[in-house]
Amino acid sequence: MRQKIIVLDFGGQYNQLIARRVREAGVYCELLPWNKPFSDWADESLAGIILTGGPNSVYEPASPRLGREIFDLGVPVLGICYGMQLINYILGGNVEAAGVSEYGHTLLHTADTGLFRHVDRETAVFMNHTDRVSRVPDGFEIDAWTQDCPVAAFSCASRGIYGVQFHPEVRHSVQGAQMLRSFLFDVCGCAGDYRPEDTIEHMLSEIRRQAGDRKVVAGLSGGVDSSVACALANRALQPGQLTCVFVDHGLLRYREAEQVMATYRDNLGLNVVHVDASERFLKALEGVTEPEKKRKIIGEMFVRVFEKEAAKTGATCLLQGTIYPDRIESGMGGSATIKSHHNVGGLPKDSLFKKEAIIEPLANLFKDEVRAVGSALGIPKEMVWRQPFPGPGLGVRVIGEITREKLDILRLCDHIFLEELENAGLQESIWQAFAVLTGVRTVGVMGDGRTYSHCVALRAVTSDDAMTSEAAEIPYPVLKKATSRIINEVRGINRVVYDVTGKPPGTIEWE
Ligand code: XMP
């Protein structure tokens, strides 16, 4: 049986990253809401539990809390930030408001104990807390401290209980991954043999089991997730059982529909139907400015198009390329809903597709795991490494009301920017690059006259997994060239800005 670690989510912003790091270490894990009943997940495959950070304070009456039973499950427990304070609280230690909040890089002093046996005695970590442990429970020892935090890590090795006040999961904690590995391997005894591509056979049989002999329609967007999902389904199902639907919602990039269709036809041997639904989508979006509303409308429209195609083929199942972060960021865990990803937005109540007929073979995988599966399936490199593009497309990159005119302007700006990045050989180092029509008009001067036109923002980010990102440091001459081309070649733009915001505090997309 495959070992698993359960990460209980108390709402902190880095919680998905904890799960990522555990899987990167070759250990399967799932992120679940903190209040999910133990009976749903505490089985013989359980090797350890991680309690995440969160925005609360353990002494607030409404804070999420667990009872002592969490320590009776017979597996080690690691608490991170709020998770550590919770352990301390449950076991009778003291937590107090620190005089100063500690935020950012901090020098951690470690003892040769707990999770710190394989790291330096002084190592940089990332802190983000206001409360701190002031007295540890009986039987616990202090494993690490910082200048402002006398108990930065503690443990009771005999009971397999560990806590760290800082965030080992973020890259700023330079040796954080090693500390997590110590928990997984030295403490929990995990084997570290999980590889996403080894789950292909399981995914194929799950698709077969869920579909049975029913016909299936699949949403195909041109992105890596849906391409891999469709390639899996194509392998799993009988000839004629699967119809892939590529929906042109009018919110695609420059010449995207032609390119994507050609790639599918030439490379994947899929049965793909191209549906031009742009009229319907744009009509439904008329006058809508609020981002979540746009996402919900686009999500519902997709389902309606799939239903229509399903009716033509007699399909009753819908296959989607939903991946793990989509579900988590849409509020499946204990964390706040940041954005409703369209394929998790929930089916309209009257949908023809019943809940049990939704097949999501990648729903437990992170993006790089999907890419590993895609490569193992022989999907061409340029598809597996295609930049992510959001399901709602340019709909969330035209800020404010979406019109055909704005979409046309944006498409051209985006195309020019990407072309200049390509010319400069920068595409490979960038996670995602695109243009955003800001919804702001500015005054300019062109020739001898005044202009009052759109301002476009360029955005390029580097990232490992889209959960955090930094603005890419594009050489200035490249930005300048792209800017001058945009101003000269795109009517309706008189100003170009470059977005240098990281995530957090920004998100990658503007809406
Ligand atoms: P944010 O903007 O939340 O985006 O930092 C993280 C990553 O997800 C992509 N994204 C989406 N992908 N449906 C998708 O399939 C969506 O609704 C959606 N919204 C954002 C975004 O492009 C980035 O890669």
Side-chain angles (χ1 to χ4, degrees):
M1 179 178 278
R2 181 170 72 188
Q3 292 170 306
K4 75 175 177 213
I5 294 284
I6 289 297
V7 182
L8 292 182
D9 186 351
F10 286 92
Q13 55 182 317
Y14 307 119
N15 296 349
Q16 246 192 90
L17 269 183
I18 301 174
R20 281 286 308 112
R21 298 288 171 252
V22 174
R23 293 217 195 157
E24 266 168 18
V27 179
Y28 182 75
C29 79
E30 287 177 22
L31 180 66
L32 299 176
W34 65 273
N35 51 1
K36 189 106 175 146
F38 294 173
S39 54
D40 287 358
W41 49 265
D43 53 27
E44 14 359 334
S45 67
L46 185 67
I49 299 165
I50 299 181
L51 312 179
T52 74
N56 299 87
S57 170
V58 280
Y59 289 116
E60 286 163 12
S63 291
R65 294 214 192 101
L66 295 170
R68 280 176 174 262
E69 312 78 65
I70 189 80
F71 305 113
D72 297 334
L73 295 173
V75 295
V77 178
L78 165 64
I80 295 178
C81 200
Y82 180 79
M84 175 196 198
Q85 292 160 14
L86 189 63
I87 290 176
N88 197 54
Y89 174 83
I90 302 170
L91 296 177
N94 260 342
V95 171
E96 63 175 18
V100 274
S101 296
E102 242 186 327
Y103 179 82
H105 301 253
T106 309
L107 189 65
L108 182 79
H109 301 271
T110 67
D112 192 11
T113 54
L115 309 179
F116 305 97
R117 294 221 157 84
H118 312 296
V119 302
D120 298 336
R121 295 288 73 89
E122 287 190 349
T123 182
V125 294
F126 184 79
M127 284 280 193
N128 183 11
H129 68 111
T130 310
D131 287 357
R132 68 181 183 198
V133 170
S134 54
R135 186 171 52 80
V136 305
D138 292 343
F140 275 65
E141 62 181 314
I142 297 172
D143 299 318
W145 56 97
T146 71
Q147 191 174 344
D148 292 318
C149 184
V151 189
F154 65 24
S155 63
C156 178
S158 60
R159 297 177 67 187
I161 306 175
Y162 295 78
V164 293
Q165 181 59 68
F166 55 89
H167 288 275
E169 67 278 15
V170 304
R171 295 263 184 237
H172 307 289
S173 293
V174 180
Q175 294 182 301
Q178 178 54 50
M179 298 166 197
L180 287 174
R181 291 171 70 86
S182 289
F183 178 70
L184 299 172
F185 301 124
D186 305 344
V187 178
C188 300
C190 292
D193 54 2
Y194 161 74
R195 292 190 326 146
E197 49 280 37
D198 295 341
T199 60
I200 289 177
E201 280 310 317
H202 175 72
M203 290 191 278
L204 294 178
S205 61
E206 273 301 293
I207 294 172
R208 281 185 209 111
R209 186 189 64 75
Q210 281 183 273
D213 50 17
R214 294 180 290 185
K215 289 203 166 166
V216 179
V217 284
L220 193 53
S221 71
V224 54
D225 306 338
S226 59
S227 302
V228 172
C230 287
L232 279 168
N234 198 37
R235 202 178 264 206
L237 300 174
Q238 299 296 326
Q241 204 179 351
L242 174 71
T243 306
C244 302
V245 182
F246 176 72
V247 181
D248 182 345
H249 48 17
L251 305 166
L252 295 171
R253 287 167 291 187
Y254 187 72
R255 299 210 171 135
E256 185 163 16
E258 308 160 32
Q259 283 166 6
V260 166
M261 286 302 290
T263 319
Y264 282 130
R265 257 194 313 264
D266 301 345
N267 290 300
L268 292 185
L270 296 175
N271 168 26
V272 190
V273 180
H274 176 183
V275 181
D276 181 354
S278 50
E279 283 289 338
R280 267 181 288 164
F281 273 81
L282 297 183
K283 183 113 200 57
L285 287 164
E286 255 171 30
V288 179
T289 54
E290 209 279 312
E292 276 297 290
K293 202 159 171 210
K294 286 184 185 174
R295 283 172 177 272
K296 292 266 157 65
I297 290 173
I298 295 170
E300 167 153 5
M301 292 298 293
F302 266 116
V303 176
R304 299 301 178 207
V305 173
F306 294 141
E307 283 175 349
K308 208 163 161 199
E309 292 309 306
K312 289 184 195 160
T313 65
T316 48
C317 294
L318 175 67
L319 182 121
Q320 304 195 111
T322 313
I323 67 170
Y324 205 38
D326 299 342
R327 293 201 294 151
I328 296 172
E329 291 200 348
S330 299
M332 179 207 74
S335 315
T337 302
I338 308 294
K339 293 177 184 181
S340 305
H341 285 247
H342 72 89
N343 41 5
V344 203
L347 288 176
K349 283 207 177 58
D350 58 347
S351 172
L352 293 179
F353 301 111
K354 300 291 159 250
K355 214 167 165 214
E356 53 74 38
I358 305 296
I359 307 177
E360 297 180 321
L362 309 174
N364 282 325
L365 298 186
F366 287 101
K367 191 76 149 196
D368 57 340
E369 296 180 317
V370 174
R371 288 187 163 136
V373 169
S375 299
L377 289 172
I379 296 179
K381 194 167 164 241
E382 60 284 5
M383 286 192 86
V384 169
W385 286 99
R386 211 159 173 251
Q387 285 189 8
F389 184 60
L394 301 185
V396 289
R397 293 181 182 171
V398 169
I399 309 307
E401 188 180 358
I402 302 165
T403 64
R404 276 183 190 278
E405 185 215 357
K406 288 184 190 170
L407 287 166
D408 287 339
I409 291 176
L410 178 60
R411 259 191 275 273
L412 266 186
C413 296
D414 190 72
H415 172 64
I416 292 171
F417 182 41
L418 295 186
E419 205 166 65
E420 286 309 317
L421 292 177
E422 185 81 53
N423 291 342
L426 292 170
Q427 284 282 34
E428 293 234 327
S429 57
I430 288 170
W431 169 270
Q432 222 172 337
F434 53 90
V436 178
L437 203 62
T438 61
V440 171
R441 279 172 193 254
T442 73
V443 174
V445 51
M446 256 173 152
D448 292 325
R450 174 189 192 269
T451 57
Y452 184 53
S453 311
H454 290 286
C455 166
V456 72
L458 305 182
R459 180 136 175 87
V461 300
T462 55
S463 177
D464 281 340
D465 41 30
M467 281 175 263
T468 59
S469 73
E470 294 293 341
E473 295 188 16
I474 307 290
Y476 189 63
V478 180
L479 287 176
K480 215 169 150 186
K481 173 98 186 287
T483 300
S484 104
R485 277 194 60 196
I486 288 172
I487 302 276
N488 287 324
E489 295 174 34
V490 188
R491 271 181 74 107
I493 296 285
N494 70 353
R495 192 175 297 264
V496 180
V497 295
Y498 185 63
D499 178 359
V500 293
T501 321
K503 173 182 180 178
T507 53
I508 294 178
E509 304 290 344
W510 277 33
E511 285 194 337

